[in-house]
Amino acid sequence: MAEKKTKAMSELTWRDMRFGNVFTEPGSATRYKTGDWRSERPIVDKEKCNKCGLCWLYCPDGAITPLEDGYYEPDLYFCKGCGICLQVCPKKAIAMIEEEENE
Ligand code: SF4
Ligand code: SF4
């Protein structure tokens, strides 16, 4: 019986990195409710919003949804509360509030 040769770390390529395949498959991220990780949530003040879409563009989780009326709304199922949308909003139309404050 042939003995299986173990590769040295320096010989490994990405094709040998099979560990992650055990837990994930393509497209699986949508199943995870990452909003549960959040301690703060963004709220949008439509009175200040100019519908520029920068919050939608910069959200690292794609958790800002464009609405039919041109405004944008955080998708709280996926929003992790990172606050980047607040940082990039040129009109200061986004505020972060503690989760407990809006329960
Ligand atoms: S707080 Fe972060 S994850 Fe949530 S909508 Fe804003 S940018 Fe996206
Ligand atoms: S970045 Fe601010 S002003 Fe622009 S669409 Fe988002 S909430 Fe409105």
Side-chain angles (χ1 to χ4, degrees), residues 9-66:
M9 282 297 284
S10 59
E11 296 175 314
L12 293 175
T13 69
W14 67 269
R15 290 178 190 277
D16 299 309
M17 306 293 183
R18 306 185 68 84
F19 186 71
N21 294 349
V22 175
F23 301 105
T24 62
E25 70 277 357
S28 65
T30 56
R31 292 203 303 268
Y32 298 105
K33 189 180 180 186
T34 50
D36 281 348
W37 306 356
R38 190 180 57 242
S39 61
E40 291 183 321
R41 71 172 65 189
I43 53 170
V44 178
D45 182 346
K46 288 186 175 180
E47 294 291 317
K48 295 179 181 175
C49 175
N50 68 358
K51 304 179 180 179
C52 69
L54 286 177
C55 52
W56 169 77
L57 187 65
Y58 280 92
C59 174
D61 289 300
I64 298 275
T65 304

